[in-house]
Amino acid sequence: MISRTDVEDLVLQVCGPVLLPGDEGFAEEVSGFNLAAVHRPDVVVGADDAGDVITAVEWAAAHHEPVGVQATGHGADQPMDGGMLITTRRMQELEIDVPRRRARIGAGVRWRKVVDAIAPHGLAVLNGSSTHAGAVGYTLGGGLPVLGRVFGFAADWVRGLDVVTPDGRLRSVDAVHEPELFGLLLGGKGNLGIVTSMTLELVPLQGLYGGGIFYPGEDAQEVLGAFSRWAPELPACATTSVSLRWMPHDPAVDERLNHQLLVHLRFCWVGDPGEGARVLEPMRELSHPLLDTVGPMDYRDIDRVHLDATQPGLYVLTGEFLQDFDAAAIAVLLQLAGPGSGSPLPEVGIRLMGGAFSRPSAVADAVSGRDSAFFLELIGWLAPHVAERTPPALAAVLQGLAPWSTGRAFVNMHGVPGDEEERSRAWSREVYERLVRAKAVYDPENLLRFQHVVGQRR
Ligand SMILES: Cc1cc2nc3c(=O)[nH]c(=O)nc-3n(C[C@H](O)[C@H](O)[C@H](O)COP(=O)(O)OP(=O)(O)OC[C@H]3O[C@@H](n4cnc5c(N)ncnc54)[C@H](O)[C@@H]3O)c2cc1C
């Protein structure tokens, strides 16, 4: 346990709050989007800037306290118990250089803020399905974007990182300066340091045609079958995914969709909208869509493609890269999670990979999935009434689709992996070994040992 006397010097040195359990504001400071993983650190430091992060890390190292970091809590899969939590939500720096197509983004910034700032200039970032998530945490996990088949992973567009390593040093790393550390931070997530800001190259966006089509659940076989034949033939301008989706009763959602299992096709086309409409036509001719929102789109409305939850909840997000998604895989999926299966899972999705996702990266990074054809994405609720049924249901789908798996998971969506072997599946063997070696160099005391940690010692 850490006492108030222990943190006296820390309180004087940092600008942000230093709170102990029971202090006013402590619960709010540690709270995040995933209510299933509420952190219980012995102390939380609300960092105002990189200086606060350095001071907090130095203090933690001197006191042999393990350190965790949280921006939004979207990726809080495993609650931390004890140690120091550094929250970055106050680190809201955002500098946009339109002529150079660059953005410098503070550790606490959510994608929404970046999207709103750059969209008027015809520029985009490689945000994921929800702009509510934190830009830095998402990108360090590789970042599987809504426009990924056109532009690749979010990590591919990082041009520099400012990172505080466990020795308390603030380093500016990029493809030239400490390239091994830079590469391993991209896809290695929070294993080697706490990133205080990142510099991204922004992508020009000319013409966006996107949205979603909702089909009745009883047509799942027809829609998934058509998707599995149509999607792999798409040009790289199209990014798409499909999910079996239980729509809860939600006044914010169109009432035609409420309270039923549906099939949700998501589609984004970058380029001429007429061409996008032509490409989508075969999927429009299927079944009897309940709602079709695909059309010319303002990039600021990008969250309408996936329609992710925006309210905090108790959930687990996991998945697996697939090498194929064929008729036999569909049969297994429908048996385990389709209409009438009794599955408690609110969402079972298949994202199309390929296109720019398969492009080799410019630096030797730690992003996995470039060799895959699809990504299986699973969401489970952990609310008390389903909490017991969810883990076996997730395991059954993962096991059922194992014959189609590449054997690799994605660190941003790897749920609560157990032992080292399971955790290491988020990377190739070669990348994992590089991460373990780098961890021994940059974090020999294993200070950063919460969440998805590499190596044997947790
Ligand atoms: C609704 C929803 C939609 C999502 N959609 C996608 C998607 O489309 N594509 C995708 O790739 N992922 C997606 N994710 C997963 C998301 O990318 C991860 O949860 C990511 O970790 C979120 O980052 P965060 O900073 O918001 O989360 P936090 O919970 O605040 O952080 C999670 C972890 O990120 C690391 N981290 C955060 N900040 C730092 C930092 N400054 N320095 C070092 N490490 C840090 C730490 O390991 C931390 O434990 C989604 C998640 C949700 C809940």
Side-chain angles (χ1 to χ4, degrees):
M1 277 308 268
I2 296 170
S3 72
R4 200 159 304 279
T5 321
D6 294 332
V7 295
E8 261 170 10
D9 53 338
L10 182 63
V11 171
L12 293 174
Q13 288 171 47
V14 297
C15 303
V18 177
L19 302 168
L20 301 181
D23 283 351
E24 196 184 331
F26 177 90
E28 200 187 342
E29 193 64 40
V30 302
S31 71
F33 191 74
N34 191 349
L35 303 177
V38 179
H39 298 309
R40 291 180 303 272
D42 287 337
V43 59
V44 57
V45 178
D48 256 10
D49 54 22
D52 276 3
V53 176
I54 295 170
T55 308
V57 168
E58 281 175 343
W59 185 95
H63 291 78
H64 307 286
E65 287 291 339
V67 178
V69 57
Q70 174 161 287
T72 71
H74 274 65
D77 300 313
Q78 300 159 65
M80 60 181 277
D81 221 340
M84 172 190 277
L85 176 66
I86 298 177
T87 57
T88 59
R89 57 167 70 103
R90 292 170 187 75
M91 298 172 68
Q92 289 295 326
E93 170 189 8
L94 179 60
E95 282 172 29
I96 311 287
D97 182 340
V98 173
R100 288 183 63 235
R101 288 204 278 117
R102 289 285 192 278
R104 194 178 145 94
I105 301 172
V109 173
R110 294 174 193 263
W111 279 128
R112 173 49 45 192
K113 182 169 166 177
V114 188
V115 168
D116 287 345
I118 62 176
H121 303 288
L123 297 172
V125 279
L126 279 312
N127 56 278
S129 55
S130 168
T131 58
H132 209 51
V136 168
Y138 159 95
T139 304
L140 295 179
L144 197 60
V146 183
L147 303 179
R149 278 175 43 87
V150 196
F151 299 109
F153 289 93
D156 298 349
W157 296 85
V158 179
R159 297 296 170 252
L161 294 169
D162 290 329
V163 58
V164 177
T165 39
D167 57 2
R169 261 183 70 190
L170 177 63
R171 302 163 195 254
S172 292
V173 298
D174 56 29
V176 175
H177 305 94
E178 302 195 63
E180 178 68 357
L181 176 59
F182 176 62
L184 288 174
L185 284 164
L186 302 175
K189 220 156 180 193
N191 266 293
L192 301 175
I194 297 183
V195 169
T196 56
S197 75
M198 70 177 174
T199 301
L200 288 188
E201 182 174 342
L202 307 171
V203 300
L205 194 60
Q206 274 153 7
L208 180 59
Y209 179 82
I213 303 180
F214 285 93
Y215 307 88
E218 64 259 26
D219 292 344
Q221 175 134 30
E222 178 191 359
V223 178
L224 293 187
F227 176 84
S228 73
R229 294 183 295 274
W230 166 79
E233 302 299 323
L234 289 173
C237 299
T239 306
T240 187
S241 63
V242 69
S243 76
L244 295 167
R245 188 157 178 188
W246 172 255
M247 300 299 290
H249 182 73
D250 180 350
V253 171
D254 190 303
E255 62 181 26
R256 282 167 290 176
L257 308 181
N258 273 329
H259 219 74
Q260 54 186 311
L261 182 77
L262 298 174
V263 186
H264 183 196
L265 176 77
R266 299 83 171 234
F267 182 76
C268 264
W269 175 268
V270 175
D272 171 36
E275 186 64 7
R278 195 191 59 71
V279 163
L280 182 61
E281 199 131 315
M283 295 304 285
R284 283 198 153 127
E285 285 166 359
L286 293 173
S287 173
H288 307 93
L290 297 169
L291 185 68
D292 180 344
T293 67
V294 187
M297 176 177 235
D298 184 322
Y299 171 51
R300 280 167 285 209
D301 294 330
I302 194 78
D303 286 347
R304 289 205 202 143
V305 176
H306 280 252
L307 286 176
D308 281 349
T310 52
Q311 293 302 316
L314 297 101
Y315 63 87
V316 55
L317 174 59
T318 189
E320 190 96 5
F321 287 108
L322 305 180
Q323 50 202 341
D324 200 0
F325 181 61
D326 58 15
I330 292 170
V332 172
L333 195 66
L334 288 176
Q335 193 191 358
L336 293 167
S341 65
S343 167
L345 303 181
E347 201 166 329
V348 172
I350 299 286
R351 294 196 193 200
L352 178 68
M353 300 295 293
F357 281 124
S358 357
R359 214 170 38 194
S361 57
V363 295
D365 66 15
V367 178
S368 48
R370 295 187 194 276
D371 57 348
S372 65
F374 294 92
F375 181 70
L376 167 69
E377 180 179 356
L378 306 175
I379 301 179
W381 289 132
L382 294 172
H385 66 288
V386 283
E388 271 184 26
R389 293 171 58 214
T390 292
L394 292 171
V397 176
L398 289 170
Q399 208 179 338
L401 289 189
W404 291 270
S405 169
T406 64
R408 295 269 162 269
F410 187 57
V411 68
N412 262 357
M413 306 187 201
H414 198 188
V416 188
D419 59 12
E420 186 186 6
E421 195 186 330
E422 176 58 21
R423 277 180 279 127
S424 71
R425 289 201 317 107
W427 300 279
S428 69
R429 175 72 23 217
E430 179 254 327
V431 168
Y432 185 70
E433 282 166 9
R434 279 173 56 212
L435 277 167
V436 171
R437 281 198 298 275
K439 183 90 177 155
V441 172
Y442 292 102
D443 190 12
E445 298 296 322
N446 202 19
L447 210 64
L448 301 167
R449 76 175 80 131
F450 295 109
Q451 303 294 334
H452 211 109
V453 170
V454 301
Q456 285 176 2
R457 287 179 306 142
R458 300 220 58 202

